[in-house]
Amino acid sequence: MKQIPRHQQIIELVTTQGYVSTDELVERFNVSPQTIRRDLNELADENKIRRYHGGATIPLSSENTSYNTRKSHNFSEKDQIAENLVRHIPDGATLFIDIGTTPEAVAHALNKKHKQLRVVTNNINVATILQPNPEIRVILAGGEVRDRDGGIIGEATLDFIQQFRLDFGIIGISGIDFDGSLLDFDYHEVRIKQAIIENSRSVFLAVDHSKFGRNAMVKLGSITQIHTLFTDNQPPAEIQALLDEHNIPCEVAL
């Protein structure tokens, strides 16, 4: 079995059973203990499981990985997702770009060729990426700046976002549960993402495959609220079934 499907099945087992042992996983997947230990270490680094001696259990849903770790994780995959997504953004469009390392990759991709864009963002990093480009007008939300990642949050930010009605909302998310729930770690950030969804004519969700099945404590809504999913790998069967049921396209970067 290839690594990514095996990772997805490990996450499902941990979610269902609460705890799985290394020996159980070795027997189930018919691979070496070293391979399973490497799988568990990688999944723990992504906060998809909690690593214990001899096995793994459900991760803490209140803790996100650091910004620098997230920025370097699946770096090339995020760039591929971004390049795929921006092909669907026409020149002259208006769009929200929210907090997250994948939305930041989208900003880099928009910077290359697009013209006459107007971008509203609550992400200082996105504003910094786009600011030098004379073809892109950047409108930066006010509010409290998070020192850990340059995200802007709070009631002032929420009020600001709700003033607009734009063509596209480009959002990231910390996790997508197998029932389609969109999950994140910060209640204040989730409220702003909800406002972006409500005030965008089309909502593009950009996530790499590590977000499928990942746990986080705050529910944003459902994947059925988006208009297109952009990712780098085919979603798990449960999530794909929801997309198919609601006729939501899934664009997989090759």
Side-chain angles (χ1 to χ4, degrees), residues 66-80:
S66 72
Y67 173 75
N68 287 335
T69 298
R70 285 184 283 123
K71 189 173 182 179
S72 62
H73 183 65
N74 291 332
F75 181 82
S76 61
E77 288 88 342
K78 291 173 184 176
D79 283 346
Q80 291 170 356

Side-chain angles (χ1 to χ4, degrees), residues 112-165:
K112 296 177 181 178
K113 296 180 181 179
H114 281 70
K115 297 180 179 180
Q116 297 182 330
L117 298 181
R118 285 172 290 174
V119 175
V120 177
T121 185
N122 62 320
N123 186 335
I124 283 180
N125 300 316
V126 166
T128 301
I129 292 163
L130 298 177
Q131 181 271 327
N133 190 335
E135 293 287 347
I136 301 178
R137 178 183 174 190
V138 180
I139 305 171
L140 183 62
E144 178 184 352
V145 180
R146 293 196 308 209
D147 58 359
R148 68 176 184 267
D149 63 0
I152 303 173
I153 58 172
E155 292 298 323
T157 316
L158 186 61
D159 291 343
F160 184 85
I161 294 295
Q162 290 172 336
Q163 296 180 71
F164 296 91
R165 177 73 173 168

Side-chain angles (χ1 to χ4, degrees), residues 10 13-14 17-29 31-33 36-37 40 49-57:
I10 291 171
L13 284 169
V14 171
Q17 300 177 198
Y19 175 84
V20 291
S21 69
T22 302
D23 291 341
E24 177 185 351
L25 295 173
V26 167
E27 183 176 354
R28 174 180 285 269
F29 296 111
V31 295
S32 69
I36 290 297
R37 283 194 287 270
L40 296 182
I49 63 167
R50 291 184 73 190
R51 187 77 167 89
Y52 279 100
H53 180 69
T57 188

Side-chain angles (χ1 to χ4, degrees), residues 64 72-73 76 97 109 167 210 218 234 237 240:
N64 199 359
S72 62
H73 183 65
S76 61
I97 302 180
D167 298 324
S210 70
V218 185
Q234 198 67 34
Q240 185 62 57

